[in-house]
Amino acid sequence: MIGVKKVGPPGHWLGIAEMACKHYNTDIEGSIDAYAFTSIAFFDAFISAFDEKYRSHYIRPETYINRHIDATWQPLIHTPPFPEYPSAHSVTSGAVATVLTQLFGENFAFTDSVEVPFGQQPRQLPSFLEAAQEASISRLYGGIHYLESLDNGNLQGRVLGAFIVNKLQINPLVLAPLTAQDEL
């Protein structure tokens, strides 16, 4: 049997990078840069997030609620089997959004359609940083993180993203929006 699953966070952000590259008709070198820098940010952010997770050892909301409030409560999404703080989703999204913002600009509005094949509706987003914020807050709504983990995770990711931009000397891509003829 083959299971059809949603795209994970790395694939989702690479799909967003792909949309930006297509929007600007980025040449091969620019596309390689966008994919490479997105991947570097993601990998470094996972290392950073999990390093802190196993230093801090915060328990998940499900564990706390089941022990002290309601033994039958369950979150809306599956609780991952590792420590809660910081939200890795927030750290990775913050780092990648910072790198993509450096490459494509601060106000790159886009329609996120990466998960349309999996039944999700496209979402209009005003920027990469807003997309990161949305990805982050979904973990609170899903019941698997505390707000502190999201806020600090976003900050950790943005700081890491800025470090990557500076360390790798990432420059904005030379961008030219597609014309109506190019889109055909």
Side-chain angles (χ1 to χ4, degrees), residues 21 24-35 173-175:
C21 288
Y24 286 114
N25 200 22
T26 308
D27 63 15
I28 188 73
E29 291 86 7
S31 295
I32 289 169
D33 284 350
Y35 287 119
L173 295 174
V174 176
L175 304 173

Side-chain angles (χ1 to χ4, degrees), residues 53-144:
K53 279 181 179 293
Y54 284 99
R55 184 184 348 267
S56 299
H57 291 284
Y58 282 31
I59 64 170
R60 294 278 182 171
E62 180 177 15
T63 303
Y64 183 85
I65 292 168
N66 288 167
R67 286 183 188 166
H68 302 287
I69 300 171
D70 179 355
T72 63
W73 183 85
Q74 294 183 338
L76 295 175
I77 57 178
H78 175 75
T79 296
F82 41 78
E84 188 270 345
Y85 180 89
S87 161
H89 219 73
S90 300
V91 177
T92 55
S93 294
V96 171
T98 300
V99 167
L100 288 175
T101 298
Q102 175 67 14
L103 289 169
F104 294 102
E106 209 170 294
N107 296 310
F108 178 76
F110 63 99
T111 301
D112 181 356
S113 58
V114 173
E115 293 192 15
V116 167
F118 304 100
Q120 297 295 317
Q121 294 298 314
R123 295 181 328 278
Q124 300 291 323
L125 295 157
S127 69
F128 299 117
L129 294 173
E130 287 291 327
Q133 195 66 30
E134 183 182 286
S136 178
I137 199 68
S138 73
R139 305 344 251 172
L140 178 71
Y141 299 150
I144 64 169

